Amino acid sequence: MKNNIDRRQFMRLAGMGGVVFASGLSGFNPARALGGTTGSDGSAQGSDFFFVQLSDTHWGFSGPAINPDAQGTLRKAIAEVNALSDQPDFVVFTGDLTQTTDDPSERRRRLAEFKEIVKDLRVKTVRYMPGEHDAALDRGAAYKEFFGQTHYTFDYEGVHFIVLDNVSDPAAALGDEQLTWLAQDLSQQDRLQRIVVFTHRPLFDLAPTWDWATRDGARAIDLLMPFPHVTVFYGHIHQEHHHLTGHIAHHAAKGLMFALPAPLSVPKKAPLPWDAAAPYKGLGFREIEQDGHSNPITELPISATRTALL
Amino acid sequence: MRRAKLIGATLLAIAAGGVGYAVAWAEAEPAHPLKVIKVSAKRFVFTPNTLTLKKGETVDIELSSEDVPMGFNVPDLASRADVLPGTTTHLRLTPQKVGTLVFLCDIFCGSGHEDMSGVITVVE
């Protein structure tokens, strides 16, 4: 929450908690401003805050060799978030809330169960977006019944957040209509506006042969490029990954059901098997701090000893 | 009309880059007799899912779907086509390097979509 900067600042300085200095960086102001001031470059700044990103929970997945705790991992993750000494300002789920199913009624059952489980979060401001597992087979129809629009914006403490949907089109495209909407939204923003984009798939061509791309993602990046303070957080690839397109940083999150191999590291993409010696290895979530123009990330694991609410 | 299509196709081929090129069209109307390779798609498999092509030789991939809309994408050739039920789509490929290329379905088609891929082996 706001004004908890001392603990977080200490963590960063001490190198604790797996803090990664992975940020938009452009325009980073080391003499950061606090409390609704103006940055050295003239951009408006609100209070610093942090939020939590969870991704790829794949509720409904079944595969004991991949995750023998498929019914418990999401609940453990929620318990982990609830146990944070400082509670985040909000939580965001970056897609693939559920495992895909060809049965529309089963899809709705999984979405309903997921929604019921995440009610246990202490933080009540929760943002959602679909992944292709949730939305690609019905163009987001079932998802919208439970979680509303698949692309939208919101503003918080001087940061403009943009949620992009690159999954409801089964061809993994944003589409002309959404890109026009994005251009219109950006046309109303000051060039120095701090912008955070949430999406499911990478907007850049990370590994097209593994379907790790957005067909027209380059058009979205082109629209964002004139803004010097943009950071993208996404999911889909079930691992931490950091990439720059020009000055725009793209940060992929770990998943919460199974891990996937590093991009193109094996001939065929497949979930990594469960490691009984290291349960929940490769799974986790992250805290993201909004610190001036920077977004320091703290990667957090799922603890095998964490007791989930049942 | 046909000449215009071919000019457009040539431009597409130039844009595709140096690793090979491809041309897609929705009619069975090749300019010259080409080797035709039929590839059928159904959830969640291509048949066949291994192809062998010769470096520098243009082939006509004749694509069809037995059930739902699919995509046939060869990212390393910057080449793709929609594969729709009830119609046949042709995709010309001319790989320019020896090696292996992955092709995959790039239209999410169901619970086994992520495993729907194949390999093109390019030989001398």
Side-chain angles (χ1 to χ4, degrees):
Chain A
M1 301 180 76
K2 282 176 283 186
N3 303 322
N4 286 320
I5 200 69
D6 289 346
R7 180 191 76 92
R8 312 186 65 70
Q9 200 168 29
F10 170 76
M11 286 176 69
R12 286 192 293 115
L13 291 170
M16 295 168 65
V19 170
V20 176
F21 286 93
S23 69
L25 291 179
S26 298
F28 172 64
N29 179 2
R32 64 182 177 175
L34 293 173
T37 62
T38 300
S40 61
D41 60 0
S43 60
Q45 295 184 317
S47 299
D48 290 353
F49 60 93
F50 82 103
F51 58 93
V52 163
Q53 180 188 10
L54 300 101
S55 201
D56 295 272
T57 51
H58 286 265
W59 182 254
F61 173 85
S62 177
I66 304 299
N67 186 339
D69 188 29
Q71 292 284 313
T73 306
L74 172 59
R75 292 183 172 97
K76 280 183 181 290
I78 289 170
E80 295 279 5
V81 175
N82 286 343
L84 294 173
S85 57
D86 296 335
Q87 284 293 287
D89 287 52
F90 63 88
V91 169
V92 59
F93 285 89
T94 45
D96 280 356
L97 315 178
T98 61
Q99 179 73 9
T100 194
T101 168
D102 299 334
D103 178 351
S105 61
E106 174 66 11
R107 183 176 310 124
R108 285 171 172 79
R109 191 181 69 79
R110 292 179 186 184
L111 287 163
E113 286 182 353
F114 172 88
K115 190 172 184 178
E116 190 62 30
I117 291 167
V118 300
K119 282 181 180 173
D120 287 337
L121 280 165
R122 286 170 60 194
V123 175
K124 294 308 174 192
T125 301
V126 184
R127 305 287 182 176
Y128 302 94
M129 73 204 66
E132 78 279 6
H133 279 250
D134 308 303
L137 290 180
D138 62 4
R139 292 188 175 268
Y143 172 89
K144 288 177 183 175
E145 292 172 17
F146 290 88
F147 298 105
Q149 288 303 306
T150 59
H151 65 278
Y152 55 93
T153 66
F154 63 98
D155 294 279
Y156 188 76
E157 292 292 347
V159 179
H160 187 58
F161 292 88
I162 303 173
V163 177
L164 294 178
D165 171 7
N166 50 11
V167 298
S168 292
D169 180 342
L174 295 155
D176 290 342
E177 186 177 338
Q178 187 176 189
L179 286 163
T180 299
W181 168 86
L182 174 62
Q184 173 122 15
D185 177 73
L186 292 173
S187 73
Q188 298 167 12
Q189 306 302 321
D190 187 276
R191 277 287 186 266
L192 296 177
Q193 174 62 49
R194 293 179 296 170
I195 295 172
V196 170
V197 176
F198 295 130
T199 191
H200 181 66
R201 293 172 169 272
L203 291 175
F204 62 96
D205 283 349
L206 173 57
T209 56
W210 282 14
D211 197 28
W212 287 359
T214 299
R215 192 180 292 187
D216 51 5
R219 292 173 62 192
I221 293 172
D222 286 347
L223 291 171
L224 292 162
M225 199 57 79
F227 296 85
H229 309 307
V230 180
T231 308
V232 181
F233 295 96
Y234 68 102
H236 191 55
I237 71 168
H238 295 226
Q239 62 196 284
E240 184 187 353
H241 189 273
H242 309 283
H243 179 81
L244 284 173
T245 55
H247 63 278
I248 300 175
H250 304 253
H251 305 294
K254 292 176 181 174
L256 284 166
M257 185 57 80
F258 53 84
L260 287 168
L264 306 179
S265 60
V266 293
K268 195 170 176 65
K269 175 187 66 178
L272 297 175
W274 182 262
D275 183 349
Y280 309 98
K281 180 182 177 184
L283 310 184
F285 61 103
R286 58 172 40 156
E287 295 181 355
I288 300 162
E289 194 170 339
Q290 188 64 47
D291 181 4
H293 292 310
S294 178
N295 295 110
I297 299 170
T298 305
E299 302 286 350
L300 296 166
I302 301 297
S303 167
T305 57
R306 173 67 61 194
T307 302
L309 295 171
L310 296 173
Chain B
M1 186 64 186
R2 176 172 172 179
R3 180 177 172 77
K5 280 185 184 175
L6 288 174
I7 291 170
T10 303
L11 292 173
L12 180 63
I14 293 168
V19 292
Y21 57 84
V23 179
W25 73 103
E27 310 157 34
E29 194 183 5
H32 306 289
L34 295 175
K35 180 180 179 182
V36 176
I37 300 175
K38 294 186 178 183
V39 176
S40 175
K42 72 174 180 180
R43 299 191 319 160
F44 303 101
V45 64
F46 289 108
T47 304
N49 64 2
T50 58
L51 308 176
T52 300
L53 307 184
K54 286 185 179 176
K55 173 186 167 185
E57 181 181 55
T58 300
V59 297
D60 171 9
I61 309 294
E62 184 178 301
L63 297 157
S64 59
S65 170
E66 297 181 26
D67 41 35
V68 298
M70 308 279 189
F72 181 92
N73 190 341
V74 192
D76 289 337
L77 294 182
S79 172
R80 71 164 308 282
D82 290 335
V83 186
L84 305 176
T87 188
T88 302
T89 301
H90 294 260
L91 183 69
R92 287 188 194 178
L93 300 177
T94 312
Q96 301 289 5
K97 287 183 180 176
V98 170
T100 58
L101 304 168
V102 171
F103 64 88
L104 71 155
C105 175
D106 66 355
I107 294 181
F108 196 88
C109 56
S111 54
H113 165 77
E114 288 165 349
D115 296 324
M116 190 169 172
S117 63
V119 173
I120 298 171
T121 302
V122 183
V123 298
E124 288 286 357

